[in-house]
Structure formats: C-alpha cells, structure tokens
Amino acid sequence: MTLIEKIYQRGHSELTSVDQIEQFQTADGYIIPNRVLAREIGADSENCFYKNSEGKRKKIVATQDEQGNWHLKTIGNADPAADGLLKLPYMQNNWG
C-alpha cells in the first residue's frame, strides 16, 4: 500500500485534473512519477491511497485509454473540482 503525502505540479496554474499531477511523494518519502504510480495501480492492481482533509484514506485508480495514456482518478469521484486528491498540498516551486 502506498500512502500519498504530497503532489508535485509543473508551473503555477491551478490543478483541475489529477492527470496534471506530475509526481507524488509517498508516506515513506519516495517521490514517484504519475505514470509509474498509474502503471503500478493499473497493471499490478496495487492499491494506492491518500489521506483526505478528514484523515480518511481514499483509493486512487488508474485507467489506460486507447492511446496507451494513463489517467488517474479517485474512486467514486469523477468531478475534478471536488476531487480530494487536488486539495493535497503540492509544491510548485520545484520547477520555478
């Protein structure tokens, strides 16, 4: 199980989709790319969780489209504006 602590994003625009997330920092300190996380979830059926503002664990799933691109989403929520994953703290200044 991977517990997501922080998300990283390029640039300074506000995240509106989980597909814009470039990297995740896991609870054990590892920083992994979006596509690696997606591949782990999609191909190996590993569960990936993040803690929402209430401290509850929410599961992240990945789907692969016809072009082979991975798309992440949280279970039971397809609305980008209400997706708890986007409300996690993220560090934009890594890319300037």
Side-chain angles (χ1 to χ4, degrees):
M1 179 179 66
T2 306
L3 204 58
I4 300 300
E5 294 274 310
K6 294 179 176 140
I7 58 178
Y8 292 77
Q9 173 208 13
R10 184 183 300 275
H12 298 280
S13 58
E14 186 176 349
L15 284 169
T16 56
S17 166
V18 290
D19 297 331
Q20 294 174 282
I21 298 169
E22 296 204 356
Q23 294 179 316
F24 296 86
Q25 181 177 356
T26 59
D28 52 9
Y30 288 101
I31 297 177
I32 53 177
N34 180 323
R35 63 182 180 278
V36 172
L37 180 64
R39 191 176 302 117
E40 286 179 359
I41 299 168
D44 302 329
S45 299
E46 289 186 16
N47 295 331
C48 185
F49 296 86
Y50 73 95
K51 287 183 285 188
N52 65 8
S53 57
E54 300 169 359
K56 295 182 179 178
R57 290 181 179 178
K58 296 286 186 177
K59 188 185 284 188
I60 304 167
V61 295
T63 56
Q64 196 171 23
D65 61 21
E66 294 174 357
Q67 288 75 35
N69 298 317
W70 289 99
H71 302 281
L72 302 176
K73 67 176 184 176
T74 51
I75 282 189
N77 194 348
D79 179 13
D83 197 317
L85 191 61
L86 300 180
K87 294 178 177 64
L88 288 175
Y90 56 92
M91 293 163 272
Q92 306 184 93
N93 56 0
N94 281 28
W95 287 285

